[in-house]
Amino acid sequence: MIAPEARRTGVASALVHTLSCDVDLSAASGARWLDAVRRYCPPQVDPWIWVAPDTDDAPAMVGWGEQARFTAHGHGAAEKAFTAYSSWAAEHPDAAPVAFGSFPFSRDADGFLVVPAVLLVRRHLGESTVVFGADSPQLHRRDGDLPVIDTLLLDLDADQWRHAVTTATTRLSQDSELEKVVLSRSVSVRASAPMDRGLVAARLSGKFSGCWTYCHDGLVGATPELLVDCRDGLFRCRVLAGTRKPSWSHELLHDPKEHREHELAVASVTGRLAEAGLSEPAVRGPFLLELPNVTHLATDITARVTTTNAAHIVDVIHPTAAVCGTPRELAYQLIEQTETIDRGRFAGPVGWMSPDGSGQWALALRCGQFSPDNQSVRVHAGAGIMPSSDPDKEWIETRAKMEAFTSVLEG
């Protein structure tokens, strides 16, 4: 259910300014823009962040504080929260023009849309950075470094993982209807002192410039998988399934297991486009998406947007087979029966919405959930399990995915 009323913890003014800065940020890469703009966030305040790849021509945003928060859970949670937000926005035309959003993988937990009290946004590469809700924000944060990592705890050891994967492959072999399930694991990292979430996000953006970087209520990551992009009457998403370490990436082009896994992930999106209010789909892929730590099989899907909004599309498409399995409900049930960890918002939708229904959402992958004191972070990764999956290879895959996040904590 939607909260009875939006929770307000600050009020943004009608002030709108162009950010004055020592360097020209209009033409800066998204990573460079983020590294500069995050420094305006006041001390002891954690930022809201969204930065898309430069090739995406999407808004780059840093905000802080909350003017309003809208929560919802269950089926249709994203659209429930969006409906409340859009009604509120109609009565508050001077508020920041976007709400940051994040929803969990489980339907039983609350997700949210938050309107920041202050927002710094560059709408397109080459444009000035505009400030909403503050009069001439000041630089606060100096260059620094992250504290030393002194503890790394496995939430699931290799033997427990092997048991979980074997249980899943046995079920997949016995149930002709169930074709794929995605299992996840996590590690907990503790530092010698609080970590700066904004600095972690900036490092991720710099290292993985082709990904969507986010920082939403302690969930920080840089994901390569775009769930929903709904802007200017067009829909776009990027589906990933099938993974190898870079030195083994050639195997992706010839491995029947990886190709079948990828086909199921693509079908889980294309099969729901009409229900989501989309038409005239075009599919490009699969192709190899090469990242610094892993290589994926990827497919891009585009379509026309009819009478729908980004939140509704999220509710219809998520969870895809890339993070859940096929068929969806059977895989979801097997995950609940097999996984011993709480995914939280890992593998859930993360992104932003505008009151007009446009928005951009990714799957919360390559991420970590920070503790309230910022001194520890729980890092998640998942792997698609097929009947022929090898538990040891899937362990290697999840470790490689986690390294995308943990590597930036180590300098």
Side-chain angles (χ1 to χ4, degrees):
M1 294 177 59
I2 299 173
E5 62 179 284
R7 178 163 66 84
R8 297 180 183 134
T9 55
V11 178
S13 71
L15 297 172
V16 180
H17 301 280
T18 298
L19 182 68
S20 57
C21 191
D22 292 334
V23 296
D24 180 15
L25 294 177
S26 64
S29 67
R32 181 165 163 258
W33 181 92
L34 172 58
D35 193 47
V37 172
R38 69 177 177 83
R39 302 169 193 269
Y40 287 89
C41 183
Q44 312 305 318
V45 175
D46 290 308
W48 301 96
I49 291 172
W50 181 266
V51 175
D54 293 332
T55 55
D56 212 14
D57 195 28
M61 299 180 283
V62 170
W64 58 85
E66 293 184 19
Q67 187 173 5
R69 178 181 286 248
F70 309 91
T71 61
H73 69 267
H75 290 282
E79 189 164 29
K80 291 175 187 176
F82 169 69
T83 299
Y85 160 56
S86 60
S87 297
W88 178 90
E91 300 175 358
H92 298 79
D94 294 331
V98 299
F100 294 96
S102 184
F103 288 82
F105 179 81
S106 171
R107 301 167 184 144
D108 298 328
D110 282 342
F112 62 80
L113 287 171
V114 164
V115 182
V118 179
L119 178 70
L120 281 64
V121 57
R122 184 180 70 179
R123 296 181 185 275
H124 301 281
L125 185 65
E127 294 187 2
S128 298
T129 298
V130 178
V131 182
F132 293 85
D135 185 6
S136 302
Q138 302 298 309
L139 281 169
H140 292 286
R141 305 188 181 208
R142 298 175 180 267
D143 283 323
D145 211 340
L146 293 169
V148 174
I149 301 301
D150 56 21
T151 307
L152 191 152
L153 296 174
L154 296 175
D155 293 345
L156 199 71
D157 64 28
D159 287 338
Q160 292 170 317
W161 171 258
R162 192 175 294 110
H163 175 73
V165 173
T166 301
T167 299
T169 55
T170 300
R171 174 73 182 278
L172 287 162
S173 299
Q174 294 173 346
D175 189 337
S176 60
E177 189 176 356
L178 187 62
E179 294 191 70
K180 172 191 174 183
V181 66
V182 178
L183 297 183
S184 67
R185 66 183 186 94
S186 61
V187 300
S188 294
V189 176
R190 186 165 181 83
S192 57
M195 294 171 277
D196 184 336
R197 297 177 189 175
L199 176 56
V200 173
R203 285 188 173 184
L204 285 168
S205 183
K207 186 172 183 178
F208 300 97
S209 58
C211 295
W212 288 262
T213 303
Y214 54 92
C215 179
H216 285 36
D217 245 10
L219 185 70
V220 181
T223 176
E225 190 148 5
L226 181 65
L227 180 66
V228 171
D229 185 344
C230 181
R231 292 177 291 155
D232 302 322
L234 295 174
F235 160 82
R236 182 170 63 95
C237 76
R238 171 165 289 172
V239 180
L240 306 181
T243 305
R244 284 288 190 277
K245 294 278 282 184
S247 58
W248 304 337
S249 60
H250 64 280
E251 295 180 2
L252 288 172
L253 297 174
H254 310 290
D255 190 320
K257 177 261 183 187
E258 301 292 351
H259 274 266
R260 181 54 182 162
E261 181 183 343
H262 188 78
E263 288 172 358
L264 293 173
V266 172
S268 71
V269 175
T270 57
R272 296 181 181 271
L273 294 180
E275 181 185 352
L278 305 169
S279 62
E280 302 178 39
V283 178
R284 183 179 74 87
F287 57 90
L288 293 181
L289 179 66
E290 298 178 344
L291 301 173
N293 60 318
V294 293
T295 300
H296 296 289
L297 279 178
T299 291
D300 287 342
I301 302 170
T302 59
R304 290 283 181 183
V305 178
T306 53
T307 55
T308 191
N309 60 72
H312 175 70
I313 302 172
V314 166
D315 286 332
V316 173
I317 292 178
H318 184 266
T320 68
V323 294
C324 183
T326 303
R328 177 192 288 183
E329 291 306 317
L330 284 179
Y332 187 87
Q333 292 169 17
L334 183 55
I335 290 169
E336 288 188 316
Q337 296 163 6
T338 307
E339 284 193 354
T340 57
I341 64 170
D342 178 8
R343 290 192 181 190
R345 288 178 289 152
F346 166 70
V350 59
W352 58 269
M353 290 290 300
S354 288
D356 65 0
S358 60
Q360 194 170 50
W361 295 82
L363 289 172
L365 307 174
R366 313 298 190 271
C367 61
Q369 176 64 55
F370 281 81
S371 61
D373 65 2
N374 287 331
Q375 201 160 339
S376 63
V377 58
R378 193 179 190 191
V379 184
H380 295 263
I385 309 302
M386 302 286 284
S388 61
S389 289
D390 181 333
D392 294 332
K393 288 184 178 179
E394 304 297 352
W395 177 269
I396 293 171
E397 176 181 325
T398 54
R399 184 173 62 195
K401 291 174 177 177
M402 288 180 183
E403 287 171 356
F405 189 93
T406 59
S407 64
V408 306
L409 302 180
E410 299 163 355

